[in-house]
Amino acid sequence: MTDALVPLMVLLPLIGAAVALMLGRRFRAQMLVSTLVLAAVAAIAAVLLARVDESGSGIAVAVGGWAPPFGIMLVVDRLSAIMIIISSLMLLGVLVYAVGQGIADQHRETPVSIFHPTYLILSAGVFNAFIAGDLFNLYVGFEILLSASYVLLTLGGTGERIRAGVTYIIVSLVSSLFFLSAIALVYGATGTANIAQLSVRLAELPQDIQLILHLLLLIAFGIKAAVFPLSFWLPDSYPTAPAPVTAVFAGLLTKVGVYAIIRTETVLFTESDLSILFLVIGGLTLAIGILGALTQADIKRLLSFTLVSHIGYMIFGIGLASVAGLAATIYYVIHHISVQTTLFLTTGLIERFGGSTSITRLGGLRRASPMLAVLFFVPAMNLGGIPPFSGFLGKVGLFVSGADAAGGATPSTETLGTSSPGPDWLIWTVVAIGAATSLVTLYALARFWNLAFWRPKAELEGYRSRLIDSVQEAPGATVIATRTTPVLMLAATSALVVLTIALTVFAGPLFDLSSRAAENLRDASVYVSLVFPGGVR
């Protein structure tokens, strides 16, 4: 019975998008449809997670009754169910925020007839990517969410958004070209695009062919995940969109790329060890991203650079090639999706209430709006890794896993496939970079807090400080009129802040769940037997 629920996680948003489009400008009906659809997907994902967690395996559904490898396979295991639950909750929270903003602004930035259908199509693409059982369906999921993201990114039609949208589209097309070329080459070499079947057939190819195919896929996914040096496009693209759109992009879209990388390393190329490359890229992503954040005066650009930087933690965890490292990575992905989304929504509130997002133009917000001060402070400290928040726990989990791998404490049975951790000195170097990145993140966010919230507004004119001597304004930065903050926007942001706190309160069970999800990924044969119970044909 639960098997029939799997396709609904993609079908419901698509059907909801069609219904929302037919409803035209009846925004209350559209809001109801969108809310019910995302709530239903979250409930379905929770039911499926309970089922797969209890059984210890997963669910594979052949769409249309066509047996693999000829049909489209949808696969739900612990990891994909976790990703859909956290994604649907974030999408639901952002939707409520967007509705509140739309009502207050009379839908100038987010036209009702466009926003809700496009938002649901984006959701369908995200969910499809998480349960895709073959490379081409994964590509379809990416293209669905990217097509919708083009529309959402340019809502409002301002020159700045159009320019950012053009850059985003070009980069996305390049990424899609790499991905589609890789799929064609993989199919030409193996005769299949089914992920489970590829796990067996790719291992039979010569090592040099495996390496070429491996790197092509990683380049495509690396662009989507915004890992260095493929992250140059992100800081100029995300901050220009409306706050709800930026929040969804920052919280979710890069994690779809990270998810695809995890699947690539744990199922497709278990015989190809690129741990050293992942460690190097992870360290560079951490360092370059946070250095960019230090120079920003605008909080949206600052958060965009920290987004790039913290992707490095996830790449580092994957590079450890251990169950413990992957478990910590999964927990950190959950943490980062929720905290990054919440911070961008809070930034939208700051822009409405204070008239700007630049630290050179903000002051006195703590006294003017104590609630806004709390809503920013909690996720900011969480992202900065202050104990006992989930950001601290996730980073400690990654660092401990790194120390175990470097010290040889991780048993060989706990490695992923035939992969092995990189040299000890490299692991310790990335751990040190990760610890420094956490401190610099805290400094950058505390600097913004000190100037925007703690500094009296009367001191703004002619204010000079070492804290802002080296920062740069965002291109085309503007000052907007101060406006009131709608209740729905505050309620949605508050709910997500509570959710980020819950990740700390329930860190033990979440870490245990992440460990079980990582254990499923330790041996690719678990995934293969799920899709082909009788053996690969």
Side-chain angles (χ1 to χ4, degrees), residues 189-192 196-211 213 267-272 536-537:
T190 63
T192 184
Q197 195 170 32
L198 284 173
S199 177
V200 176
R201 293 191 177 181
L202 284 171
E204 299 171 351
L205 297 176
Q207 286 295 321
D208 55 344
I209 301 298
Q210 287 190 51
L211 181 60
L213 298 176
V267 181
L268 292 180
F269 294 97
T270 56
E271 303 295 326
S272 180
V536 180
R537 293 190 296 274

Side-chain angles (χ1 to χ4, degrees), residues 403-477:
D404 289 345
T410 304
S412 59
T413 55
E414 294 297 317
T415 57
L416 300 176
T418 60
S419 299
S420 59
D424 293 356
W425 66 268
L426 181 56
I427 295 176
W428 284 118
T429 299
V430 182
V431 168
I433 294 173
T437 297
S438 184
L439 293 174
V440 177
T441 301
L442 181 61
Y443 165 77
L445 293 171
R447 179 185 62 188
F448 179 82
W449 162 267
N450 182 65
L451 294 172
F453 287 89
W454 201 262
R455 174 180 53 175
K457 191 172 183 179
E459 295 183 6
L460 276 178
E461 190 172 349
Y463 183 85
R464 297 293 301 172
S465 168
R466 291 183 180 180
L467 290 177
I468 60 174
D469 282 345
S470 60
V471 298
Q472 299 176 354
E473 290 285 3

Side-chain angles (χ1 to χ4, degrees), residues 55-81:
S55 66
S57 58
I59 302 172
V61 176
V63 178
W66 289 88
F70 306 106
I72 296 174
M73 295 300 299
L74 302 178
V75 182
V76 177
D77 58 5
R78 288 186 176 111
L79 175 59
S80 55

Side-chain angles (χ1 to χ4, degrees), residues 261-281:
I261 292 174
I262 291 175
R263 288 296 187 197
T264 300
E265 298 309 302
T266 58
V267 181
L268 292 180
F269 294 97
T270 56
E271 303 295 326
S272 180
D273 188 1
L274 295 181
S275 296
I276 293 177
L277 177 63
F278 276 102
L279 293 174
V280 171
I281 294 298

Side-chain angles (χ1 to χ4, degrees), residues 289-361:
I290 202 59
L291 289 176
L294 278 177
T295 65
Q296 303 305 313
D298 187 275
I299 184 60
K300 290 190 290 187
R301 287 180 62 82
L302 188 156
L303 289 175
S304 296
F305 276 102
T306 61
L307 166 62
V308 171
S309 177
H310 286 229
I311 294 295
Y313 286 113
M314 306 167 206
I315 301 302
F316 166 64
I318 297 171
L320 292 175
S322 68
V323 173
L326 191 55
T329 300
I330 294 171
Y331 179 83
Y332 199 82
V333 168
I334 298 170
H335 146 80
H336 200 257
I337 288 175
S338 58
V339 171
Q340 197 78 47
T341 303
T342 305
L343 274 172
F344 271 102
L345 292 186
T346 308
T347 299
L349 296 179
I350 292 172
E351 186 173 23
R352 295 183 67 89
F353 195 85
S356 176
T357 53
S358 172
I359 57 177
T360 62
R361 299 189 178 102

